[in-house]
Amino acid sequence: MSAFAQETLVGDFSDLKSPLSEEEALVQADLCLQCGGVYATAPCTVACPADVDVPTFIAQIAAGDPGAAALTLFEQNILAASCARVCPVEVLCQASCVMNSQDEAAIEIGRLQRFAADWAYANGVAPRKKAAANGHKVAVIGAGPAGLACAGELAARGYTVTVYDERAEVGGLIRYAIAPFRQHTEPLPAEAVALAGLGVEIKLEAKIDSKKALAEIEKEVEAIFLGIGYGEDVLVKTPGDDLEGVWESLPFIEALKDGNPPQVGRRAAVIGGGNTAMDVAREALRLGAEEVTVLYRRTQAEMPAFYHEYEEALEEGVVFKWLTLPVAFKGENGRLTAVECQPMKLGEPDDSGRRRPEPIEGADFDLPVDTIVKAIGQRPREEFLSLIDGLELEWGRIKINPETGQTTNPKYFAAGDAINGGATAVQAVGGAKVAVAGIEAFVQGEKR
Ligand code: SF4
């Protein structure tokens, strides 16, 4: 039985992880053991894909200097404020905190990071200083976490950087595809202002959709960074797709973030077993659905969502139906009323190493629902990528040299979801930093 009364969630779109007050931050920072030293890096820092010096920034908070703590954070991660909200710290820095081995709660690194980074923006602290212009020009395509991190780091090193993005606001998946209970729009506007302060030019609603447009950019710059992420939801056609009440996950989250919350009715179902499916299911509870069911064609053991996300969804009252494949949406008067499901069993492992789900014939059943959201994954931006000469893909992902971020077209570098198929914002930041070093070596003469 859920520990939550579902009605307590309805209409609650506040942050899952609330901000710390100054007093709470000081108390929490004081608990840190300041691990690491000359001979060993602290495990929390080792676990951070952006290489943030965790003990140092926490010590600066404990010393009453959140501004210095923020500068320590921004040195490694210019998106420290956003990452503090959306990072899965439960499987990264906080999972590595030594307090866990002493049966104590891990230090709340994510909330401390948010405290320091938000303090800096509220108090006008510039995240980074700009080096003197070095005369080199780089273009960044995509204003998501990878693109913004790359642009900020290059600008801080003296490069002239222009960012292009097709959307009206910066942030990519953080702005448009991460549930609002993790992050609303803030602090992205402040992060964009910080980048502008470093001289980064951000061109929004600037879709690049032809070889000619790309050639114009190529002419202007010495290197191009691709931080384009993934595109729309994976296309899975199901009979009844056109019924009112059938959604794909990205438009669903975007509507919610834009202040047009979908009407979910009393019973909602979500298709998929990833982190986006967990987010959508939990948001559906907040939107007032009394029953929210996740339909997944494999079992809990194979689902890609982080285990803690699954546990939290379960705790809030989300129901999971394993080995269940939706095969048709049914409705009346153009409105969804049920989803027809086919039970599955697990067969031999497939290419992914996971046991392949196989249908059990003749056992279909109908699940009454008012809303269904497909959260099966996103698809690569193959149409855009086909514009770039010599760019090789692997399984739809951009192929790179992992040590430099360089693609098979030497002028292009890449990081983020477009190369890893969909991971975390902080991994995109870490990958962008590798690409910055690669771009620097390339444009400063060590061309490969
Ligand atoms: Fe502090 Fe935990 Fe990192 Fe040790 S591992 S420095 S206790 S946050």
Side-chain angles (χ1 to χ4, degrees):
M1 174 125 150
S2 163
F4 282 75
Q6 191 270 345
E7 57 269 23
T8 64
L9 291 174
V10 177
D12 179 6
F13 297 103
S14 60
D15 296 2
L16 272 181
K17 296 174 189 167
S18 58
L20 292 170
S21 68
E22 191 177 339
E23 292 72 24
E24 288 168 331
L26 283 171
V27 169
Q28 189 61 210
D30 265 342
L31 294 173
C32 174
L33 301 178
Q34 293 294 304
C35 310
V38 180
Y39 299 108
T41 306
C44 46
T45 293
V46 172
C48 176
D51 291 329
V52 162
D53 184 345
V54 177
T56 296
F57 98 76
I58 292 181
Q60 289 164 323
I61 293 175
D65 194 347
L71 292 180
T72 299
L73 285 161
F74 291 139
E75 184 64 27
Q76 296 300 333
N77 183 356
I78 199 155
L79 300 182
S82 275
C83 285
R85 289 159 166 83
V86 302
C87 260
V89 289
E90 297 84 352
V91 296
L92 294 173
C93 54
Q94 290 183 195
S96 299
C97 177
V98 296
M99 303 295 269
N100 295 306
S101 63
Q102 303 181 17
D103 284 338
E104 301 280 346
I107 301 296
E108 294 204 65
I109 302 168
R111 292 175 81 201
L112 286 169
Q113 177 167 321
R114 176 173 175 175
F115 168 75
D118 284 4
W119 188 96
Y121 284 121
N123 289 278
V125 176
R128 295 287 294 273
K129 287 202 175 73
K130 185 173 167 59
N134 62 16
H136 294 290
K137 285 187 185 171
V138 178
V140 170
I141 301 179
L148 295 179
C150 179
E153 187 59 40
L154 285 169
R157 295 182 187 203
Y159 289 78
T160 300
V161 185
T162 306
V163 179
Y164 300 83
D165 195 284
E166 64 187 16
R167 305 302 297 259
E169 293 179 37
V170 302
L173 95 165
I174 299 178
R175 165 64 183 84
Y176 292 103
I178 285 186
F181 63 25
R182 298 190 193 284
Q183 178 165 345
H184 294 267
T185 305
E186 294 73 26
L188 283 164
E191 290 173 328
V193 169
L195 289 174
L198 286 167
V200 174
E201 183 184 11
I202 301 178
K203 294 188 174 180
L204 296 170
E205 298 180 305
K207 185 168 179 164
I208 299 156
D209 53 6
S210 68
K211 271 186 176 274
K212 188 166 169 262
L214 203 54
E216 289 293 317
I217 295 172
E218 283 181 355
K219 226 167 39 192
E220 293 292 316
V221 299
E222 294 151 88
I224 298 177
F225 175 80
L226 301 171
I228 58 173
Y230 257 25
E232 294 171 357
D233 285 83
V234 170
L235 205 56
V236 179
K237 287 200 186 301
T238 310
D241 267 338
D242 54 348
L243 290 167
E244 192 187 338
V246 177
W247 288 79
E248 289 185 336
S249 67
L250 297 182
F252 183 90
I253 294 174
E254 192 172 334
L256 191 50
K257 288 192 101 157
D258 284 346
N260 307 308
Q263 304 291 313
V264 293
R266 201 169 69 74
R267 293 163 302 201
V270 183
I271 306 171
N275 292 314
T276 301
M278 301 305 103
D279 274 11
V280 168
R282 296 172 72 184
E283 291 290 10
L285 288 174
R286 286 159 175 77
L287 287 166
E290 292 166 26
E291 294 170 28
V292 178
T293 308
V294 169
L295 306 172
Y296 184 51
R297 64 193 183 125
R298 291 181 157 103
T299 71
Q300 191 272 314
E302 290 85 24
M303 72 191 287
F306 293 127
Y307 188 74
H308 69 273
E309 297 292 347
Y310 158 65
E311 274 192 321
E312 288 172 22
L314 204 58
E315 177 95 341
E316 289 187 354
V318 174
V319 172
F320 289 80
K321 270 196 184 301
W322 311 118
L323 295 167
T324 304
L325 180 72
V327 291
F329 305 138
K330 296 177 173 177
E332 282 171 23
N333 303 321
R335 185 98 194 39
L336 178 73
T337 55
V339 51
E340 181 184 336
C341 299
Q342 183 171 46
M344 312 292 280
K345 61 182 182 202
L346 290 181
E348 293 302 310
D350 62 14
D351 290 346
S352 71
R354 297 180 299 173
R355 292 177 66 193
R356 187 194 304 275
E358 294 169 356
I360 300 173
E361 300 299 339
D364 289 14
F365 63 93
D366 282 358
L367 179 76
V369 288
D370 305 301
T371 295
I372 193 144
V373 185
K374 299 181 188 180
I376 299 161
Q378 288 171 258
R379 53 183 196 259
R381 298 180 187 272
E382 286 180 344
E383 201 178 325
F384 167 75
L385 293 171
S386 71
L387 302 175
I388 303 169
D389 293 331
L391 192 79
E392 287 179 26
L393 307 183
E394 270 174 338
W395 302 98
R397 303 169 189 180
I398 303 169
K399 195 169 157 187
I400 59 157
N401 174 343
E403 286 171 16
T404 60
Q406 192 168 35
T407 72
T408 49
N409 177 326
K411 191 164 184 168
Y412 283 81
F413 294 75
D417 286 0
I419 64 142
N420 61 32
T424 61
V426 72
Q427 282 167 297
V429 171
K433 288 166 63 176
V434 171
V436 166
I439 291 168
E440 191 143 61
F442 179 72
V443 303
Q444 298 198 4
E446 302 164 38
K447 302 203 177 191
R448 291 145 203 248

